[in-house]
Amino acid sequence: MNILYYNLNMKFCVVINKTKRKATELAKEFIAEVEGRGHSCYDYAGEILPETAFAVVFGGDGTILKFIRSSSVTIPVLGINCGHMGFLAEAGSSVSEYVDKLVSGEFVLDRRKLLRVDCADKTFFALNEVVLGRADSINLMDIEVSTDEGSLDRYRADGVIVATPTGSTAYSLSAGGPVLSPSVPAYIVTPICPHSLHSRPIVLSDKETIRLSAKSVGKCIVVVDGAKVLTEEKDCFLTVSIKDACATFVRIHKRSFYKTMLNKFTKGDK
């Protein structure tokens, strides 16, 4: 139990994927339940207000990723699954039970490391992955990947993914990368459609700093957790590292990562 949260007059930031009717309905129910107990809620409008205890996200993993990317959130996040995969979000409880657990402190906190991506004098943070790819050409890119110890590999490919363990079940997996437990202190470098017989995903210690240098006939794009953040002409250079930044999730139910993974990919559970 997290005694810190018990019996406080709590403030909740509510994030809603309004394209999903279920998300809107559950959010209304949640707000009524919270306010009926003497606590307060506000709709997220691009800013976390002072003294906010939790962010509660109604949607799927995509909604959670968008929220984290837009807010640089430092408060605990409870995701309530209204989507398809739901690796990051909770499911299976009533709204009343979610409120009970939050206000009584009956939950555990799950901290996930973020990638720091530096490119063109800008900094971005990613929970799942960063992708360096081609934007407007059918030609392959030449991408050199290096670490603190020197050159790692050179790829002729559609692009390269650098993923966290959290992101190992997302785009990297679709491109042939391995699945890592969220507790593994590592990240994955996965080439996208490499024109090679030897190119394979590589798992690296998260103490390394990765540098990607790309040359393209056309434009290069940088995509962070599914959102295009930069377009560069022909050449692009970026560094990827894992620092102290992390996202913190509220876990109401004890669950096995491996059981969740098998259920999602073999049974299609929501």
Side-chain angles (χ1 to χ4, degrees):
M1 177 183 290
N2 292 271
I3 302 296
L4 174 65
Y5 296 102
Y6 185 69
N7 272 342
L8 294 176
N9 184 4
M10 303 173 73
K11 184 187 296 182
F12 297 85
C13 173
V14 177
V15 184
I16 310 168
N17 183 341
K18 294 182 180 178
T19 66
K20 298 180 182 293
R21 190 171 75 174
K22 180 180 177 182
T24 301
E25 292 172 351
L26 286 177
K28 288 180 179 179
E29 188 179 342
F30 179 86
I31 292 168
E33 185 81 25
V34 166
E35 293 180 345
R37 300 187 190 202
H39 305 288
S40 62
C41 294
Y42 65 91
D43 288 337
Y44 177 67
E47 182 182 5
I48 303 294
L49 300 183
E51 300 180 358
T52 302
F54 299 99
V56 183
V57 181
F58 295 86
D61 285 357
T63 309
I64 295 172
L65 290 171
K66 183 179 179 181
F67 169 64
I68 291 173
R69 186 173 62 249
S70 68
S71 67
S72 300
V73 63
T74 56
I75 60 175
V77 177
L78 171 64
I80 297 179
N81 188 32
C82 305
H84 296 289
M85 293 305 291
F87 274 103
L88 301 174
E90 295 281 304
S93 294
S94 66
V95 165
S96 180
E97 182 180 357
Y98 285 128
V99 178
D100 284 340
K101 299 295 186 182
L102 288 175
V103 300
S104 65
E106 295 181 59
F107 55 83
V108 296
L109 296 177
D110 176 14
R111 292 180 174 85
R112 302 291 183 91
K113 292 182 178 180
L114 301 175
L115 296 178
R116 171 176 171 150
V117 182
D118 292 289
C119 181
D121 297 324
K122 297 181 180 179
T123 299
F124 308 94
F125 291 92
L127 179 62
N128 271 358
E129 75 276 305
V130 57
V131 179
L132 175 57
R134 56 185 174 86
D136 62 353
S137 172
I138 62 171
N139 295 293
L140 297 175
M141 304 172 69
D142 288 311
I143 305 174
E144 182 171 4
V145 181
S146 60
T147 70
D148 300 332
E149 297 184 6
S151 180
L152 179 68
D153 206 342
R154 184 184 293 271
Y155 301 104
R156 282 188 59 76
D158 286 347
V160 168
I161 305 164
V162 180
T164 64
T166 299
S168 70
T169 55
Y171 189 14
S172 177
L173 178 66
S174 299
V179 173
L180 299 185
S181 164
S183 62
V184 175
Y187 36 26
I188 308 161
V189 177
T190 305
I192 304 169
C193 299
H195 193 247
S196 168
L197 294 176
H198 85 274
S199 295
R200 294 291 183 269
I202 301 173
V203 177
L204 299 174
S205 165
D206 68 7
K207 293 182 174 59
E208 299 267 12
T209 295
I210 298 176
R211 298 170 182 84
L212 286 79
S213 179
K215 294 184 180 298
S216 174
V217 172
K219 294 181 179 179
C220 304
I221 58 170
V222 179
V223 179
V224 172
D225 282 348
K228 183 173 71 174
V229 296
L230 281 175
T231 302
E232 295 289 305
E233 294 290 343
K234 296 186 178 180
D235 298 344
C236 185
F237 177 81
L238 59 87
T239 61
V240 184
S241 58
I242 293 183
K243 303 298 185 184
D244 295 332
C246 68
T248 302
F249 293 95
V250 173
R251 299 302 181 204
I252 301 296
H253 304 291
K254 183 178 180 180
R255 62 180 183 174
S256 162
F257 167 74
Y258 304 106
K259 183 176 180 180
T260 300
M261 178 183 68
L262 290 173
N263 285 340
K264 298 296 182 184
F265 287 126
T266 62
K267 299 179 182 178
D269 289 358
K270 295 184 180 181

